[in-house]
């Protein structure tokens, strides 16, 4: 049972990585769904700790850390793009005032 759940977790992680690496805007609903599914699988795995393979569990923990870091990086990149866009809009408004 835990092997199948670990594979499900790995599949979800792969989908999350693809979503993050897509390069386009992230579909927030898909992101929320995948994260909720991941949380459910993790909770199910934690409910039976005696059945967990320590190596697989450590790999899952490492993937979690990597996903969090990549999501933070993507969020910061988006925030910087938004700042540049807002600055550009303010500059354009200032320019249009003196036209």
């Amino acid at each position: 049972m835990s092997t199948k759940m670990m594979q499900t977790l790995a599949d979800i992680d792969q989908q999350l990585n693809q979503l993050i690496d897509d390069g386009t805007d992230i579909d927030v609903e898909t992101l929320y769904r995948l994260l909720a599914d991941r949380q459910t699988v993790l909770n199910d795995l934690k409910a039976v700790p005696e059945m967990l393979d320590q190596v697989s569990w450590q790999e899952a923990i490492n993937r979690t850390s990597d996903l969090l870091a990549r999501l933070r990086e993507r969020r910061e990149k988006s925030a910087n793009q938004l700042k540049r866009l807002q600055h550009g809009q303010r500059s354009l408004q200032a320019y249009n005032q003196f036209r």
Side-chain angles (χ1 to χ4, degrees):
M1 176 174 101
S2 68
T3 305
K4 183 178 179 187
M5 289 194 308
M6 290 301 284
Q7 183 58 48
T8 301
L9 184 63
D11 292 343
I12 292 170
D13 289 348
Q14 182 180 9
Q15 291 175 38
L16 282 165
N17 282 321
Q18 289 173 347
L19 186 64
I20 294 168
D21 291 339
D22 186 23
T24 60
D25 290 341
I26 291 179
D27 180 11
V28 177
E29 290 182 22
T30 302
L31 179 64
Y32 285 152
R33 180 185 53 79
L34 288 171
L35 289 174
D37 292 348
R38 189 176 197 281
Q39 184 65 41
T40 300
V41 172
L42 284 172
N43 288 336
D44 291 346
L45 285 166
K46 287 192 297 186
V48 285
E50 63 277 357
M51 294 183 66
L52 291 176
D53 171 27
Q54 291 303 316
V55 173
S56 297
W57 185 247
Q58 188 59 47
E59 288 173 3
I61 291 171
N62 293 341
R63 286 195 313 267
T64 300
S65 297
D66 291 344
L67 280 169
L68 287 173
R70 294 176 70 225
L71 283 169
R72 279 188 205 104
E73 187 178 298
R74 183 71 189 257
R75 182 187 66 212
E76 289 173 12
K77 181 180 174 184
S78 295
N80 287 335
Q81 287 174 337
L82 178 61
K83 282 182 186 177
R84 284 195 307 272
L85 176 66
Q86 289 172 336
H87 178 73
Q89 288 174 339
R90 284 192 302 272
S91 296
L92 184 60
Q93 287 173 348
Y95 172 78
N96 285 335
Q97 284 179 344
F98 297 107
R99 257 177 101 186

